[in-house]
Amino acid sequence: MMSRKQTIFRLPKDIENPYVRVDKQFIGVPGLSFRAKGVLLYILSKPDHWKVNVKDIVSHSKDGRDAVYASLKELMEYGYVQRVCHREKGK
């Protein structure tokens, strides 16, 4: 497990540049499962304003909800994902 925080730089996507371009550093992390790498790549492929939604990830995967949550947990442990809870007033 890595103790330092990971930084990922993404390039903006638009109609003229619809391709996903990511730094391949996370692909070579030996302790990170291929499933977690795939979830991270899926998240990075989304637009800048996109909010991570587990239901959306599950709907684009054969792995199921528990596997997606396990992958997100793994990505959090390695510092690639942070969970931030936002609550609306009264909820």
Side-chain angles (χ1 to χ4, degrees):
M1 186 177 315
M2 299 187 132
S3 60
R4 61 184 173 86
K5 287 196 171 213
Q6 302 300 319
T7 302
I8 295 179
F9 298 98
R10 298 172 59 238
L11 297 173
K13 293 178 282 303
D14 55 32
I15 291 173
E16 294 181 19
N17 183 21
Y19 304 101
V20 176
R21 297 189 324 186
V22 295
D23 185 334
K24 63 182 181 179
Q25 177 184 354
F26 74 91
I27 296 169
V29 176
L32 199 58
S33 71
F34 278 117
R35 182 177 64 201
K37 292 173 187 180
V39 169
L40 181 57
L41 184 58
Y42 178 75
I43 292 169
L44 291 173
S45 74
K46 295 301 181 186
D48 293 337
H49 64 277
W50 190 76
K51 303 289 185 222
V52 175
N53 183 320
V54 177
K55 287 181 182 180
D56 177 70
I57 298 171
V58 170
S59 72
H60 287 89
S61 170
K62 288 183 172 183
D63 292 333
R65 186 194 66 170
D66 292 343
V68 170
Y69 275 111
S71 296
L72 290 171
K73 181 180 177 188
E74 189 177 343
L75 291 169
M76 283 187 256
E77 289 172 358
Y78 277 80
Y80 287 104
V81 172
Q82 280 186 330
R83 174 176 267 174
V84 178
C85 296
H86 295 282
R87 299 221 181 245
E88 293 180 27
K89 190 172 183 177
K91 290 188 177 183

